[in-house]
Amino acid sequence: GLTRDTPTIDVEYRITRPDGEIRWVRSRGVQVRDSEGRLNRNIGIVTDTTDRKRSEMAVRQSQERLRGIIDGMGPSMFVGLLTLEGILIEVNRAPLEGAGLTAGDVLGKHFADAPWWTYSADAQLQLRAAIARAAGGESSRYDVRAQMGQGNLIDIDFAIEPLRDDSGKVVFLIPSASVITERKVAEDALRQAQKMEAVGQLAAGVAHEFNNLMQALMSMSAIIRLRTDPSEITRIGTEMEFLLKRGAGLTRQLLLFSRDTPIEKVDLDVGEEVRKASVLLGHLMPETIRIVVEVSPDPLMIAGDNGQIQQVLLNLAINARDAMAAGGTLTLRAGRNGDEVFQEVEDTGQGIEADTHRHLFEPFFTTKEQGKGTGLGLAVAHGIVERHDGRFEVTSTPGRGSCFRVIFPALMREAERPQGTVAGQNVPSGGGRLLLVEDDPSVREGLEALLEMIGYEVIAAGSAEEAMALTVDPPPALLLSDITLPGMTGPEMVGHLRARWPELKVVLMSGYLDESMQVNARRDQWRFLQKPFEFDDLEREVSEAMNDGPAMAMTG
């Protein structure tokens, strides 16, 4: 009888067809022998495996290319190779080393269970669903939040792509991930900056109307003080002026803080900036925080941009507030040490740990929980201080509080502090014809009365068109005009009036703190008054403009 040999024959080899095409085939079968052991015949089957062989080769080549990509990825980028079930079979080494792991710790595990990241239950389900979709040929990309080891929460950008062979069949999955925490913080900061820009524009528009109102009130209070003899009425007028100055100063601080303009240094008293900041901070601090101001009585002059110096103080004070969740004392100081002046913001809060101290001024570094801070406040303050040739000194004791000292080089010259007009002073005298153009009737009437009290002959108009239609002989020596008039603007009107009266001097006013307006005024060498201004400022600017030639340096 015949018997079959074992084992079964199973070999794969290449053949060349008559037309020269190379094909892969697989032969499987057995040898059949007779009763005496002689080979009788072979029984088997030959299968053409060319397509499968080519797919396997394509997959191996893809794996080799992917492995080259994987090995070249940076430390913040993860990329790997998964089976269709989500088992990790390749991974780049850099993120593993950053987490203190080896390939052996992660290979062979399901990707959603990778030990270097810890996900929430919802994120786990989301990741497993993405793997299932990728196995079905659908790419996925989304953001997820995870915890790396025992560290902080991080934001991760995940993508899972299917890897196909030449026939289009999905054979592997390629997961990739990158940490985008800084990008997310930057995006949040950008959105906040855009919101603040809109708020700043709104505040500037509201301030224009508010400052006109304040200007009218300040003019009226000055008139009451200067025109009346009874001491009680004079006292009331003086007190009104004082309160209005506080309101005007608060509005100006907010506008200076919200603007985004190049640094513009003037002579500043650091002590006065600290006092101003304390008024604004009184509205930002909860009742559980007490504000203490300790300022040297001597002038503490530096060359600085008042808006940016205020921003440093506010940034530091807001950080101090956040460090005193249970309440405490916020101390603002200013003083002098040799040829340097300083301002300090000290709190009695939680203090700063040693490992945090060295990162304080790094952009995006924050110890606050997500959504409570951008990590940009101290970095911005540090940049401002450096641009003022200054430096920071920080001392802190965990559990007891922190002190941020900002040190600036002092001006060797001391600027004179303006002396306000007090009750009983003689009204300054002036003379000459003046054209006043102001669209707000209350402001126009108040300024007209004050200018006439000084001794000027005033011709008043409510618009540029009305002013240009006037028949004036002799012509006015000076134009005092608002910038933002209805219809034709103040600067446009100046051009027409100068063509008519070449020797006309110019003082422009505005309740809108727009840097471009001031730049244009400097360019054309006009004087500038920022509303609301005091009686002394009005008298000084008009008097100096009257005594100068038609081209004059702007002051504000």
Side-chain angles (χ1 to χ4, degrees):
L2 299 177
T3 60
R4 293 182 180 179
D5 271 358
T6 49
T8 302
I9 299 169
D10 191 346
V11 294
E12 192 169 29
Y13 52 90
R14 290 186 301 177
I15 63 171
T16 304
R17 290 173 30 147
D19 61 4
E21 182 183 359
I22 297 176
R23 306 288 293 183
W24 283 89
V25 297
R26 181 179 184 184
S27 294
R28 290 177 293 179
V30 296
Q31 293 177 334
V32 180
R33 300 179 183 273
D34 60 20
S35 57
E36 297 179 359
R38 292 189 299 268
L39 180 62
N40 181 274
R41 61 185 180 274
N42 291 321
I43 301 175
I45 186 171
V46 177
T47 306
D48 188 328
T49 60
T50 303
D51 291 342
R52 179 183 59 77
K53 194 71 173 178
R54 287 174 177 170
S55 295
E56 290 176 355
M57 292 175 65
V59 169
R60 279 198 297 272
Q61 290 171 356
S62 297
Q63 283 184 265
E64 291 172 1
R65 289 196 302 270
L66 181 63
R67 191 171 292 110
I69 296 172
I70 286 174
D71 291 340
M73 300 307 294
S76 64
M77 179 73 179
F78 164 89
V79 67
L81 191 66
L82 303 179
T83 67
L84 299 185
E85 294 75 29
I87 303 302
L88 194 61
I89 57 177
E90 286 288 348
V91 63
N92 61 323
R93 303 296 190 266
L96 298 180
E97 294 171 356
L101 301 171
T102 66
D105 296 323
V106 298
L107 296 182
K109 291 183 172 61
H110 195 280
F111 185 59
D113 299 325
W116 61 85
W117 288 319
T118 304
Y119 312 98
S120 66
D122 288 343
Q124 281 259 2
L125 291 174
Q126 188 179 19
L127 185 54
R128 290 180 183 274
I131 291 171
R133 287 195 301 271
E138 181 183 345
S139 299
S140 294
R141 184 165 191 171
Y142 57 92
D143 293 348
V144 67
R145 180 159 293 169
Q147 185 175 22
M148 193 167 188
Q150 300 300 316
N152 295 329
L153 289 174
I154 56 175
D155 292 293
I156 302 170
D157 178 20
F158 264 125
I160 300 183
E161 303 283 343
L163 177 64
R164 304 174 187 271
D165 61 17
D166 287 348
S167 67
K169 179 183 177 183
V170 178
V171 290
F172 292 106
L173 309 178
I174 304 176
S176 61
S178 57
V179 178
I180 57 169
T181 304
E182 289 191 2
R183 192 193 79 191
K184 294 278 284 187
V185 170
E187 289 173 350
D188 291 344
L190 178 60
R191 283 192 292 270
Q192 181 68 11
Q194 290 170 337
K195 183 172 70 173
M196 289 304 297
E197 180 182 1
V199 170
Q201 291 174 358
L202 177 63
V206 171
H208 173 66
E209 297 302 322
F210 181 76
N211 284 340
N212 271 337
L213 173 64
M214 296 289 286
Q215 184 61 62
L217 291 171
M218 289 182 76
S219 298
M220 293 176 185
S221 65
I223 292 169
I224 291 173
R225 174 172 56 82
L226 296 170
R227 276 187 174 172
T228 55
D229 292 330
S231 59
E232 180 62 18
I233 297 177
T234 301
R235 186 191 67 77
I236 293 172
T238 303
E239 182 67 15
M240 284 175 62
E241 281 190 282
F242 173 74
L243 295 174
L244 288 166
K245 288 176 189 177
R246 283 186 58 186
L250 186 59
T251 305
R252 189 168 299 179
Q253 278 181 266
L254 288 170
L255 290 173
L256 286 170
F257 182 67
S258 67
R259 71 178 179 176
D260 182 17
T261 59
I263 186 171
E264 182 181 347
K265 293 182 180 179
V266 297
D267 290 1
L268 284 184
D269 185 340
V270 168
E272 187 62 26
E273 295 305 310
V274 168
R275 292 187 188 94
K276 290 178 182 177
S278 68
V279 175
L280 184 58
L281 289 170
H283 302 280
L284 295 177
M285 296 294 153
E287 294 181 356
T288 54
I289 294 179
R290 183 171 66 101
I291 299 177
V292 176
V293 179
E294 300 176 358
V295 176
S296 167
D298 300 322
L300 305 171
M301 307 305 296
I302 67 168
D305 182 296
N306 52 357
Q308 294 199 359
I309 296 302
Q310 285 286 307
Q311 184 171 355
V312 171
L313 286 167
L314 292 176
N315 285 4
L316 293 176
I318 288 170
N319 275 358
R321 177 199 65 187
D322 294 343
M324 295 186 288
T329 300
L330 173 68
T331 303
L332 306 177
R333 295 190 186 91
R336 184 162 189 160
N337 185 9
D339 58 356
E340 295 179 325
V341 298
F342 64 87
Q343 57 187 26
E344 285 183 352
V345 177
E346 184 176 10
D347 65 71
T348 56
Q350 62 193 22
I352 303 169
E353 299 294 336
D355 58 345
T356 300
H357 199 284
R358 62 179 177 272
H359 299 294
L360 281 176
F361 299 106
E362 294 178 5
F364 306 116
F365 177 80
T366 179
T367 57
K368 299 174 185 178
E369 61 185 87
Q370 188 73 20
K372 297 296 185 180
T374 64
L376 293 173
L378 286 178
V380 169
H382 189 268
I384 291 173
V385 171
E386 281 193 332
R387 288 195 294 274
H388 284 77
D389 301 318
R391 68 184 189 275
F392 270 96
E393 289 182 358
V394 183
T395 56
S396 182
T397 303
R400 299 185 62 182
S402 305
C403 179
F404 285 74
R405 171 177 279 205
V406 185
I407 301 170
F408 300 105
L411 281 180
M412 301 315 294
R413 64 185 185 279
E414 298 292 355
E416 293 185 4
R417 297 193 182 196
Q419 300 297 320
T421 302
V422 296
Q425 278 188 311
N426 293 325
V427 177
S429 60
R433 177 170 284 188
L434 183 151
L435 174 59
L436 169 65
V437 185
E438 167 61 59
D439 61 303
D440 188 302
S442 298
V443 176
R444 185 172 65 249
E445 291 169 9
L447 291 176
E448 184 177 5
L450 285 177
L451 291 166
E452 287 176 345
M453 288 175 63
I454 297 172
Y456 294 104
E457 179 187 353
V458 181
I459 303 166
S463 68
E465 291 78 8
E466 182 182 343
M468 290 190 296
L470 291 171
T471 302
V472 183
D473 189 30
L478 182 140
L479 168 69
L480 174 63
S481 173
D482 193 34
I483 289 178
T484 54
L485 297 170
M488 183 181 294
T489 67
E492 290 172 335
M493 175 184 62
V494 171
H496 290 282
L497 293 181
R498 275 277 177 86
R500 183 177 173 187
W501 302 313
E503 298 301 313
L504 183 69
K505 289 100 170 180
V506 177
V507 178
L508 295 179
M509 310 174 288
S510 180
Y512 188 95
L513 191 62
D514 188 322
E515 180 66 16
S516 63
M517 294 178 182
Q518 299 190 33
V519 169
N520 292 337
R522 287 191 201 91
R523 180 197 63 205
D524 296 319
Q525 295 184 296
W526 300 330
R527 291 185 176 273
F528 180 84
L529 279 167
Q530 175 67 56
K531 294 177 182 176
F533 46 83
E534 300 178 31
F535 173 74
D536 289 350
D537 297 324
L538 173 66
E539 191 280 329
R540 183 183 66 254
E541 290 297 330
V542 172
S543 176
E544 291 180 0
M546 282 288 200
N547 293 326
D548 286 340
M552 297 166 286
M554 187 212 77
T555 62

